[in-house]
Amino acid sequence: MTHLPPIDSLLAATRAIQLMDLTSLNEEDDDARIIALCQQARTPFGNTAAVCIYPRFVGLARLTLATQGTPEIKVATVVNFPHGDDELEAVLAETSAALANGADEIDLVLPWRALMAGDEAGARALVRGCKALCGVRVLKVIIESGELKTPALVRAASLLAIEEGADFIKTSTGKVAVNATSEASRIMLAAIAECGAQNRVGFKAAGGVKSAREAAEYLAMAAAHFGEEWLVAERFRFGASSLLGQLLVTLGERKIAPAADSGY
């Protein structure tokens, strides 16, 4: 008989799938990879919340999701990615183009280097400008917590993003040495609570969450702050590529998980 993990692990794995931004952000991405990603987003345990891809694939992802009968899966894309150093006007133009092509959600990299150097005004202008373009569509602000390093900077970046209109604060690009961590996530969740913003701002753990056990730990952390009812796609996301395969293994759908292909 196949050994099954405890029921809480099964429930966490199912929930994590439905809270996932299934991601492919590789230089070698092509149409075939994005079509396959969209197909993988539909699972026997529910659809992922979104697919997250480079801006050039937004139209293809939207068409593929509609054609396969899952138009409810959101299309997320990235701007100012991954370095966070582009000029304001370039980022606004990139955001505007992505929205025009049909993106539901924009994942914006905060100019964290500038923020560390004391340029808070530039970071505020960028978040504020992108949110103005997004309107009712979702803006997730990536603070790159692993590069900010100190709790004070992680908190400051989180508060800044919330104050300027972010719909989510997100840990990481997945492209640096240190991505989502429990410590940074606790600080970010506490910042949401400090602002009293839990009814309008969500949290996304991205990069490095690779197992059902780790996913369950992040879910428990968020629930401890805001309650089980907060664990919905409007408030909580995982950004991941390899995590889906591991969750399907946990749920007994696969015997061997596929290798990670993007490091996200």
Side-chain angles (χ1 to χ4, degrees):
M1 180 180 295
T2 302
H3 174 70
L4 292 177
I7 188 64
D8 58 343
S9 295
L10 297 176
L11 291 172
T14 301
R15 178 174 277 173
I17 287 173
Q18 298 170 9
L19 298 178
M20 185 183 301
D21 289 359
L22 183 61
T23 300
S24 189
L25 294 168
N26 308 292
E27 291 305 316
E28 64 271 22
D29 281 345
D30 56 19
D31 287 2
R33 278 179 176 246
I34 300 310
I35 291 169
L37 187 82
C38 292
Q39 293 168 343
Q40 292 160 12
R42 180 173 55 182
T43 88
F45 305 97
N47 299 334
T48 67
V51 295
C52 185
I53 38 81
Y54 278 122
R56 65 183 181 274
F57 296 116
V58 165
L60 174 63
R62 177 157 294 287
L63 176 61
T64 302
L65 292 169
T67 300
Q68 72 181 23
T70 57
E72 69 278 10
I73 298 174
K74 304 299 185 184
V75 177
T77 194
V78 292
V79 298
N80 202 24
F81 187 92
H83 44 73
D85 293 332
D86 288 343
E87 294 294 328
L88 172 64
E89 292 306 318
V91 180
L92 295 179
E94 186 179 25
T95 301
S96 182
L99 294 168
N101 285 335
D104 298 297
E105 302 179 351
I106 299 294
D107 287 29
L108 164 72
V109 181
L110 192 76
W112 54 270
R113 291 184 184 85
L115 184 63
M116 292 177 74
D119 181 11
E120 182 177 303
R124 287 187 178 278
L126 185 59
V127 176
R128 186 166 58 247
C130 285
K131 183 53 189 173
L133 290 172
C134 286
V136 297
R137 284 183 272 188
V138 170
L139 177 67
K140 308 189 199 94
V141 176
I142 307 169
I143 69 166
E144 204 68 291
S145 57
E147 295 297 305
L148 292 174
K149 300 185 188 304
T150 70
L153 279 171
V154 171
R155 175 180 174 273
S158 298
L159 292 174
L160 181 157
I162 293 166
E163 290 163 2
E164 297 302 335
D167 298 296
F168 277 76
I169 51 175
K170 172 179 169 181
T171 58
S172 322
T173 60
K175 300 292 187 182
V176 295
V178 177
N179 294 290
T181 66
S182 295
E183 180 187 17
S185 299
R186 288 191 184 92
I187 294 167
M188 294 170 71
L189 290 165
I192 294 172
E194 181 179 338
C195 293
Q198 58 267 29
N199 292 327
R200 68 172 181 86
V201 178
F203 168 76
K204 178 174 173 180
V209 184
K210 298 185 181 297
S211 71
R213 179 187 58 78
E214 291 171 342
E217 290 171 358
Y218 280 94
L219 292 170
M221 187 189 310
H225 276 81
F226 303 124
E228 286 279 328
E229 64 275 11
W230 205 72
L231 302 180
V232 294
E234 292 76 20
R235 292 290 174 261
F236 188 99
R237 300 284 182 90
F238 291 107
S241 56
S242 62
L243 178 62
L244 178 60
Q246 297 296 334
L247 296 175
L248 292 174
V249 169
T250 297
L251 292 163
E253 182 67 14
R254 293 181 182 172
K255 292 184 179 179
I256 300 174
D261 62 0
S262 75
Y264 192 81

